[in-house]
Amino acid sequence: VAVRRVLGIETSCDETGVAVYDADRGLLAHRLYSQIALHESFGGVVPELASRDHIRKLSPLVKEVLSASGSKAEDIDAVAYTQGPGLVGALMVGACFGRALAYGWGVPALGVHHMEGHLLAPMLESDRPEFPFIALLVSGGHTQLVRVNGVGDYHLLGESLDDAAGEAFDKAAKMLELGYPGGPKLAALAGQGNPDRFDFPRPMVNRPGLDFSFSGLKTYTLNTVTACKEAGELTEHDKADIACAFQDAVVSTLVIKCRRALQQESLKRLVIAGGVSANTQLRAALGAELDKLGGRVYYPRPEFCTDNGAMIAYAGFCRLRAGLHDDLGIKVRPRWPM
Ligand code: KG4
Ligand code: ZN
């Protein structure tokens, strides 16, 4: 029997996401529980606390999503869960829960690659790109340019040789004492900064190729912060100006590499996905660039840019529909190249 309705579960980091995707009617319901408040006072995600909170929230969220989607247990044809990459304990919670549900319901289960979820998230929108397209995946753990020919047909064109873009945002935010989660806080502050005060380097744009490197930019940021402190104190103005210069440098680096990738592959469709794709300046800059190139940029709605269950339900649906599923073993892959 063809798989029609899939329950998706995401627990790779600090968000518990659950969703139901249907072959005919698309996304029926989704719920997200963010653990931000739990980890805030620690300045970052505490893995053991994350696992425990996923345990606490999964069952109620699944019940809610089943009811909101008008599904009974017997309407679900398969379960998809994030198998990696991510925090091992957090992944184990979702994998055990998803596998056990599927076993109890007598349906197949499948472990999904988290980044494939991000990559396919724009397909949840009614205005979705056609294959092939270039995808820029920018999250806390990845910065990758991928040529996507179809579901499961991905060619890595370039990636970060050190920090991911989101990680760089988070680290720069920490230097500016902005707290956790740093990326969105830094982005908000950048809007108040003076763009003409500092000029940060654009890493690796003068070298050919599609790889990225953000560690030099991180050092440059630290040096600028230190210089401000040595000159007296790090004022709110300084912080905003540094945030602005940092964001400009990351955004223009990403834009330059996206243009290069599109030209190299002779494509005009660009997808951006992953947490950093929620960044409004990045969206505006890529939109303007694609206008110039006579192409278009596609992205998921903001809530599906960061981690969520809908993208896992959808990526799982595509693969389960093609007949793929896992055996009864429960395996997670904290590190897993796509
Ligand atoms: O995809 P995601 O939710 O989780 C991972 O799979 O990593 O991405 C989280 C990352 C974090 O590094 C966060 O700081 C960054 O995305 N992020 C942003 C923004 N919103 C989230 N970075 C820059 N600007 C934003 N608006
Ligand atoms: Zn993610």
Side-chain angles (χ1 to χ4, degrees):
V1 256
V3 167
R4 313 186 55 77
R5 204 172 276 195
V6 173
L7 176 79
I9 294 176
E10 153 66 31
T11 62
S12 67
C13 190
D14 59 348
E15 330 258 5
T16 319
V18 180
V20 172
Y21 186 88
D22 181 86
D24 301 320
R25 291 164 54 207
L27 186 66
L28 296 183
H30 65 97
R31 289 288 184 276
L32 186 73
Y33 173 77
S34 170
Q35 304 178 353
I36 283 177
L38 174 71
H39 302 290
E40 202 160 18
S41 62
F42 300 97
V45 180
V46 184
E48 180 59 24
L49 294 183
S51 309
R52 293 182 199 179
D53 223 35
H54 286 308
I55 293 175
R56 193 171 69 82
K57 290 306 287 187
L58 262 180
S59 180
L61 286 180
V62 167
K63 280 188 190 142
E64 255 184 62
V65 160
L66 286 179
S67 134
S69 66
S71 313
K72 297 195 191 64
E74 53 270 30
D75 300 326
I76 302 294
D77 301 318
V79 178
Y81 57 87
T82 304
Q83 192 169 33
L87 302 171
V88 64
L91 290 167
M92 275 309 276
V93 174
C96 292
F97 195 92
R99 181 70 262 177
L101 266 184
Y103 187 72
W105 290 344
V107 298
L110 180 70
V112 170
H113 196 291
H114 180 80
M115 297 312 290
E116 182 176 32
H118 277 306
L119 192 86
L120 296 177
M123 308 306 276
L124 288 162
E125 306 305 331
S126 50
D127 179 25
R128 54 198 241 171
E130 274 170 46
F131 299 116
F133 56 76
I134 299 290
L136 172 69
L137 291 176
V138 270
S139 72
H142 293 78
T143 303
Q144 296 181 324
L145 273 165
V146 183
R147 182 190 167 104
V148 179
N149 292 323
V151 174
D153 188 355
Y154 313 125
H155 296 270
L156 183 65
L157 303 173
E159 65 184 331
S160 179
L161 305 176
D162 40 61
D163 290 357
E167 192 180 356
F169 261 94
D170 295 336
K171 286 180 179 167
K174 210 160 210 172
M175 294 173 201
L176 297 174
E177 296 149 18
L178 301 181
Y180 156 91
K185 289 192 173 162
L186 188 145
L189 188 62
Q192 301 160 30
N194 169 6
D196 299 321
R197 176 155 167 217
F198 298 113
D199 192 14
F200 280 31
R202 273 72 173 137
M204 293 184 66
V205 295
N206 297 322
R207 269 194 260 165
L210 294 169
D211 287 332
F212 304 87
S213 163
F214 292 106
S215 68
L217 189 56
K218 204 175 57 184
T219 311
Y220 197 90
T221 308
L222 183 62
N223 291 343
T224 311
V225 168
T226 310
C228 286
K229 284 183 177 163
E230 280 169 4
E233 54 160 346
L234 183 68
T235 65
E236 290 308 307
H237 272 300
D238 293 336
K239 286 188 190 181
D241 295 346
I242 293 171
C244 180
F246 173 86
Q247 179 173 262
D248 273 353
V250 175
V251 166
S252 54
T253 304
L254 294 174
V255 170
I256 290 166
K257 296 289 164 108
C258 284
R259 177 173 62 219
R260 211 177 270 176
L262 289 159
Q263 285 170 340
Q264 176 189 306
E265 299 297 313
S266 305
L267 290 176
K268 299 218 159 175
R269 287 181 292 271
L270 177 73
V271 158
I272 40 171
V276 183
S277 69
N279 187 281
T280 44
Q281 199 191 329
L282 177 64
R283 288 180 173 222
L286 284 173
E289 185 65 29
L290 268 285
D291 277 350
K292 267 194 259 164
L293 297 173
R296 259 204 68 188
V297 53
Y298 299 82
Y299 27 66
R301 69 192 85 165
E303 57 181 329
F304 292 164
C305 285
T306 47
D307 293 347
N308 65 86
M311 67 183 194
I312 301 303
Y314 180 73
F317 167 79
C318 294
R319 287 188 171 256
L320 285 153
R321 179 125 237 207
L324 297 171
H325 59 85
D326 290 338
D327 61 26
L328 291 180
I330 297 170
K331 283 186 252 70
V332 295
R333 306 178 70 172
R335 287 171 191 281
W336 185 9
M338 191 164 68

